[in-house]
Amino acid sequence: MSDPALVVETRGITRILQEAVPVTLVRDIELRVTRGEFVSITGPSGSGKSSLLYLLGLLDVPTAGEVLIDGQPTGGLTADDLAAIRLAKLGFVFQFHFLLPEFTVLQNVMLPMQRLGVLSEEKMQSRGLQLLADLDMADQARKRPDQLSGGQRQRVAIARALANDPLVILADEPTGNLDTKNSEIVQDIFGRLVREQGRTVIAVTHEEAFARTTGRNVHLVDGRIEKDVKR
């Protein structure tokens, strides 16, 4: 019987790049993440941190093993099926915000909702404005990304990741392109999402200060989990 608290599970996943000389990105990863956890993934450069996150987020598929999202096996699913799970259940924040420059802040936040196609235009706008307000960005809603600071853009990216009320937020070096002050703001936002809203966050980081703010640390070395510590 599946555990209803379990949101992400991996069963022996391995990812090998089939090149002239095959490259193993991650090997035999067994990981279980439950609702409301704040997990940091750390490790030296080339240890497989981002590769693991991309597998958890169904942006890549394992060579062996399987990823389950909310108890649903994803092995063998079509690209369209995987995209549907990502859209409905996963939110992504990357080091570079990837906001679309031709759209306003609010329009960028609304994009995932428009793709999902569940809410009316009025409700999408209302939800988008509320998400921005929660991150102290409502007064920037009509601006375009190039009118914002780096920290503001990352807050918009977080609002966009929350647009479809995802089961899990996956972040890849979300503070890696920010100064100390804005890095601390983003760290605090993730912490509040977990503490106050019960969100599940899995974040790759090379910053020890960020990793210390999380409730659990998964440390990779050479594509394997060296330690998995709850604080």
Side-chain angles (χ1 to χ4, degrees):
M1 185 174 179
S2 62
D3 181 352
L6 195 61
V7 293
V8 177
E9 180 182 4
T10 69
R11 296 177 179 173
I13 59 171
T14 293
R15 179 69 172 100
I16 301 173
L17 290 181
Q18 299 296 343
E19 300 182 344
V21 177
V23 178
T24 300
L25 302 177
V26 297
R27 184 183 294 279
D28 299 328
I29 298 290
E30 298 277 346
L31 185 66
R32 294 161 63 90
V33 178
T34 56
R35 293 178 192 273
E37 281 199 278
F38 190 0
V39 182
S40 56
I41 300 175
T42 59
S45 178
S47 61
K49 302 185 298 295
S50 292
S51 297
L52 175 56
L53 194 80
Y54 278 47
L55 290 165
L56 299 180
L58 310 182
L59 294 168
D60 193 10
V61 294
T63 306
E66 187 170 41
V67 177
L68 290 81
I69 303 294
D70 199 20
Q72 177 183 356
T74 61
L77 294 182
T78 66
D80 286 345
D81 289 337
L82 293 174
I85 295 172
R86 286 197 302 270
L87 184 61
K89 296 190 175 184
L90 306 175
F92 297 90
V93 181
F94 299 97
Q95 179 174 353
F96 300 99
H97 50 78
F98 295 121
L99 301 178
L100 298 182
E102 65 271 27
F103 293 145
T104 67
V105 163
L106 178 58
Q107 288 170 332
N108 269 280
V109 174
M110 290 170 58
L111 283 172
M113 292 183 266
Q114 291 170 336
R115 288 183 59 207
L116 192 62
V118 173
L119 301 177
S120 67
E121 185 74 14
E122 181 180 0
K123 288 184 176 179
M124 285 190 289
Q125 286 194 19
S126 177
R127 176 163 176 76
L129 287 170
Q130 184 59 59
L131 288 169
L132 289 169
D134 290 344
L135 299 174
D136 297 323
M137 289 294 293
D139 59 339
Q140 309 295 317
R142 306 300 172 184
K143 291 184 178 180
R144 303 211 181 255
D146 63 2
Q147 296 175 286
L148 305 180
S149 69
Q152 288 175 319
R153 292 174 192 172
Q154 199 63 307
R155 278 187 272 170
V156 175
I158 293 170
R160 181 182 58 188
L162 292 166
N164 289 335
D165 193 21
L167 189 67
V168 184
I169 299 167
L170 298 127
D172 190 11
E173 299 282 8
T175 59
N177 203 37
L178 301 177
D179 60 28
T180 300
K181 179 181 178 181
N182 281 300
S183 178
E184 290 174 352
I185 290 171
V186 169
Q187 291 172 33
D188 182 64
I189 288 169
F190 282 124
R192 286 192 286 113
L193 289 172
V194 174
R195 292 191 307 272
E196 299 172 11
Q197 298 184 21
R199 298 277 180 183
T200 305
V201 177
I202 304 173
V204 164
T205 184
H206 67 275
E207 298 179 16
E208 286 298 322
F210 187 0
R212 285 195 297 270
T213 70
T214 66
R216 177 180 174 190
N217 176 236
V218 175
H219 189 76
L220 300 184
V221 174
D222 295 333
R224 297 178 185 268
I225 296 178
E226 182 185 66
K227 57 183 177 181
D228 184 346
V229 180
K230 292 189 178 182
R231 305 183 197 282

